[in-house]
Amino acid sequence: MWLFLLFLSIPLIEIALFIQVGGLIGLWPTLCIVLATAAAGTWLMRQQGALALSQVRSSFNELRDPTEPLAHGAMILFAGAMLLTPGFFTDTMGLLLLIQPVRAAAYRWLSKRVVVHSAGFGPAGGPTRQARPARDDIIDGDFEDLTSRNGHGDKDGTLPPSGWTRH
């Protein structure tokens, strides 16, 4: 229900702000401000996004937890979407999310409300790599592609539908 209220209230706030600002400074200056914030926001988003991407890469290379750099990257992406949306309220929210201390505060607030039940790295593991238990249901084997051999298979040289050859 709160998401519905959010989608309903944001356009109403934007319309009210457009009317107020447009009444104070006029139509063309209002439109120029909206276009200028979209252009400046795009430039800032590219700068901040490149920095966040390098932080994600370095956390993966150093086998550190990438949660915070990934969250910052997601917030920068969200800020860019807000800056590209025409309006004063969304531009203000987007510009605030491009400020690193604001993102850090938002990350702290969100991290208190999100519970991660399990996380792990791939098969390479990390500093806390654990040995995998032996499994009885794994069969090691090799295969040979017989589709390229002529003379094996049916009379016309093709293999039977199952892929098995007759011996």
Side-chain angles (χ1 to χ4, degrees), residues 7-163:
F7 280 119
L8 183 67
S9 63
I10 289 180
L12 292 175
I13 292 170
E14 293 292 3
I15 291 169
L17 286 172
F18 271 125
I19 292 171
Q20 291 293 318
V21 173
L24 288 175
I25 63 173
L27 173 67
W28 293 110
T30 302
L31 292 176
C32 288
I33 289 173
V34 169
L35 291 175
T37 57
T42 303
W43 181 78
L44 282 170
M45 185 188 67
R46 287 186 64 170
Q47 300 297 322
Q48 294 283 327
L51 178 64
L53 184 62
S54 69
Q55 289 172 347
V56 169
R57 284 182 182 154
S58 69
S59 68
F60 278 127
N61 289 338
E62 297 168 5
L63 297 176
R64 287 184 289 121
D65 182 18
T67 306
E68 189 170 357
L70 284 172
H72 281 274
M75 284 187 268
I76 291 168
L77 185 64
F78 186 68
M82 291 181 85
L83 285 165
L84 291 176
T85 304
F88 292 105
F89 179 72
T90 53
D91 287 348
T92 303
M93 293 295 112
L95 286 172
L96 284 174
L97 276 178
L98 288 179
I99 300 170
Q100 202 280 331
V102 173
R103 282 196 318 269
Y107 174 75
R108 284 191 305 273
W109 183 81
L110 285 171
S111 64
K112 291 178 184 175
R113 285 151 182 81
V114 175
V115 177
V116 178
H117 291 285
S118 94
F121 293 100
T128 59
R129 181 172 35 187
Q130 298 175 354
R132 292 179 179 240
R135 293 179 50 184
D136 294 334
D137 61 341
I138 296 177
I139 301 172
D140 191 9
D142 296 321
F143 72 94
E144 182 178 345
D145 185 12
L146 299 177
T147 57
S148 62
R149 291 186 174 181
N150 289 334
H152 292 292
D154 287 346
K155 295 176 187 171
D156 61 352
T158 62
L159 293 174
S162 68

